[in-house]
Amino acid sequence: MEGEPQPGLSEEYTKSSPWHIVVVMGLVLSEVGILFNLYPLSVGGLVLFVGGVSGIVDEVGYVDSPWRLAGGLSVALVVLGLLVVSTQVDGGLAAFRSQVAANNGVSQRGFTVAATGAIMAVAALVVPRVRNQ
């Protein structure tokens, strides 16, 4: 029994990655939060999702720093969220501001995604600078 390799493990791959669980949990939590319009759950889930994807790509070695990818994904979230809100408004910036106070579920979900992107973008800019001090 000692000489038999364990399923899923080999000499080439000596460790398993925890990032896959983080991505799955982030995706599930964000979907549940967005579906039921639960702001903290959807924000937390999207933060986990973006962080997990950035961690996987960094672990594989495709990027030098996961924070740049997290920043890029954050910008994509902001654009996607504002695009969802734009389907509910007719007009310019004043119409967007009026949607913040409106009780429109689609707009609230779009603002949730955009706000998460903004939070992650700030984190992607600030955290690497704080860690390097």
Side-chain angles (χ1 to χ4, degrees), residues 66-77:
W67 295 107
R68 281 183 163 177
L69 179 60
L73 291 173
S74 301
V75 170
L77 284 178

Side-chain angles (χ1 to χ4, degrees), residues 40-95:
L41 193 62
S42 57
V43 169
L46 285 170
V47 167
L48 278 175
F49 180 71
V50 169
V53 169
S54 299
I56 286 175
V57 174
D58 180 52
E59 186 177 69
V60 173
Y62 290 140
V63 294
D64 293 331
S65 169
W67 295 107
R68 281 183 163 177
L69 179 60
L73 291 173
S74 301
V75 170
L77 284 178
V78 170
V79 169
L80 181 66
L82 292 178
L83 185 67
V84 169
V85 174
S86 71
T87 64
Q88 302 298 307
V89 298
D90 293 328
L93 187 60

Side-chain angles (χ1 to χ4, degrees), residues 5 12 18 21 23 30 34 48 52 54 56 58-59 66-67 79-81 89-91 97 100 104 108 119 124-125 133:
E12 185 178 347
I21 300 294
V23 169
S30 65
I34 290 172
L48 278 175
S54 299
I56 286 175
D58 180 52
E59 186 177 69
W67 295 107
V79 169
L80 181 66
V89 298
D90 293 328
R97 278 191 263 151
V100 173
N104 182 346
Q108 290 175 346
I119 291 167
L125 290 172
Q133 288 181 355

Side-chain angles (χ1 to χ4, degrees), residues 90-112:
D90 293 328
L93 187 60
F96 274 90
R97 278 191 263 151
S98 68
Q99 282 296 316
V100 173
N103 196 11
N104 182 346
V106 175
S107 294
Q108 290 175 346
R109 288 169 176 91
F111 281 125
T112 299

